[in-house]
Amino acid sequence: MIEKIRQELKEQADETYRNFHASLVPGLTDFLGVRVPVLRTIARKLAKDDWRLYLSEASDNCYEELMLQGMVLGYALMEKEERAECLRRFLPKINNWAVCDCCCSTWKFMRKDLSYWYEFLLPFLNGGEYEIRSVVVCLMDHFSEKEYLSKQFEIYNHIRHEGYYVEMAVAWALSVCYVRFPQETAAFFRDNALDDFTQNKAIQKCRESYRISKEEKEMLNGLKRGKTS
């Protein structure tokens, strides 16, 4: 099975995409250059097949196979306890922002039981750069209910990891919070414990949105802090 999938990945590789995407994702080594829509198609097929066998044999060193693992965990049918155990094994493997963001966006099952998955995610805030980013991206993608807004603010306020991809994820998530809940998020921007870089980057992302008025952008600009490091 695993050799069949690897052969399919090689056949679907796009050298132009490989060269382009490799420049955007630091640290890639074993990267074939298969586009994300193709990976999703393969992952959906795997999810209907013996996906447990695939997960047991897939390489953690190949970008595409790591991506497939995370996508399969979103598409396969399983009880939430088994899914949680699989995710506990998978999250520490994530080693770049692209695998993080694409896989997290696939985990729509979280929306069906927000309380369970919120509690599941919290321990990973004590992990490494991409584990923390995964928590932030999941909160942004799947916990859009107002009841989780103050919880998101509290989490972002207490993250102290200085990794670039953590800081950028928090800024991105806050910009999404502003679009959904502008008054509450503006109040957070006025009073928080964020570092200056994250605060200013979040405001920059807000101001880049076409969904925010000119007047709001001017107001947000006034909440930027001094020079960033």
Side-chain angles (χ1 to χ4, degrees):
M1 179 184 191
I2 195 71
E3 291 305 322
K4 180 180 178 181
I5 295 299
R6 287 173 179 167
Q7 183 59 38
E8 183 174 2
L9 289 173
K10 290 177 182 178
E11 291 173 357
Q12 295 289 348
D14 182 328
E15 185 67 19
T16 300
Y17 176 72
R18 182 185 187 280
N19 294 334
F20 169 73
H21 196 57
S23 67
L24 300 177
V25 185
L28 286 184
T29 51
D30 191 357
F31 175 51
L32 300 173
V34 182
R35 294 177 181 270
V36 170
V38 176
L39 290 174
R40 291 199 181 280
T41 298
I42 296 173
R44 288 188 179 96
K45 290 191 297 184
L46 279 170
K48 296 178 182 178
D49 200 346
D50 191 349
W51 56 266
R52 292 181 181 87
L53 175 63
Y54 178 74
L55 293 181
S56 70
E57 297 183 349
S59 170
D60 295 338
N61 298 317
C62 175
Y63 171 87
E64 282 83 2
E65 288 192 53
L66 191 60
M67 188 80 86
L68 284 178
Q69 290 181 55
M71 289 178 174
V72 165
L73 291 179
Y75 295 138
L77 296 177
M78 66 185 92
E79 296 297 324
K80 65 183 178 183
E81 291 78 11
E82 181 178 11
R83 203 185 303 272
E85 187 55 39
C86 289
L87 286 175
R88 287 189 187 96
R89 294 193 295 269
F90 177 73
L91 281 166
K93 298 178 184 180
I94 298 175
N95 56 15
N96 64 76
W97 66 263
V99 169
C100 171
D101 297 1
C102 289
C103 292
C104 289
S105 70
T106 309
W107 299 338
K108 294 180 174 61
F109 56 82
M110 291 188 176
R111 302 175 189 179
K112 297 179 180 179
D113 194 340
L114 293 176
S115 177
Y116 179 88
W117 291 109
Y118 177 79
E119 294 298 326
F120 168 84
L121 289 170
L122 292 181
F124 293 96
L125 290 168
N126 298 315
E129 182 170 10
Y130 293 107
E131 289 172 88
I132 299 173
R133 182 181 174 95
S134 295
V135 175
V136 175
V137 175
C138 282
L139 290 173
M140 177 184 68
D141 284 347
H142 309 303
F143 292 77
S144 59
E145 301 295 329
K146 193 169 184 177
E147 66 180 290
Y148 282 92
L149 183 62
S150 61
K151 294 179 180 181
Q152 287 192 55
F153 289 160
E154 183 177 3
I155 286 173
Y156 305 152
N157 225 7
H158 288 87
I159 289 176
R160 291 294 178 267
H161 196 286
E162 296 181 353
Y164 175 78
Y165 290 102
V166 170
E167 294 176 333
M168 290 298 290
V170 171
W172 181 21
L174 284 169
S175 71
V176 172
C177 287
Y178 184 86
V179 169
R180 293 169 177 163
F181 307 102
Q183 292 183 342
E184 294 87 346
T185 308
F188 177 77
F189 282 141
R190 293 187 180 96
D191 183 16
N192 63 64
L194 298 175
D195 61 88
D196 290 353
F197 174 85
T198 305
Q199 167 91 355
N200 291 350
K201 185 60 68 171
I203 289 172
Q204 175 189 326
K205 287 183 173 295
C206 289
R207 298 180 75 245
E208 289 171 352
S209 173
Y210 67 89
R211 299 172 66 181
I212 295 174
S213 70
K214 180 180 179 181
E215 291 74 19
E216 287 178 286
K217 292 179 180 181
E218 291 176 355
M219 177 275 293
L220 288 167
N221 197 44
L223 298 177
K224 291 179 69 175
R225 297 176 185 163
K227 293 182 179 179
T228 58
S229 58

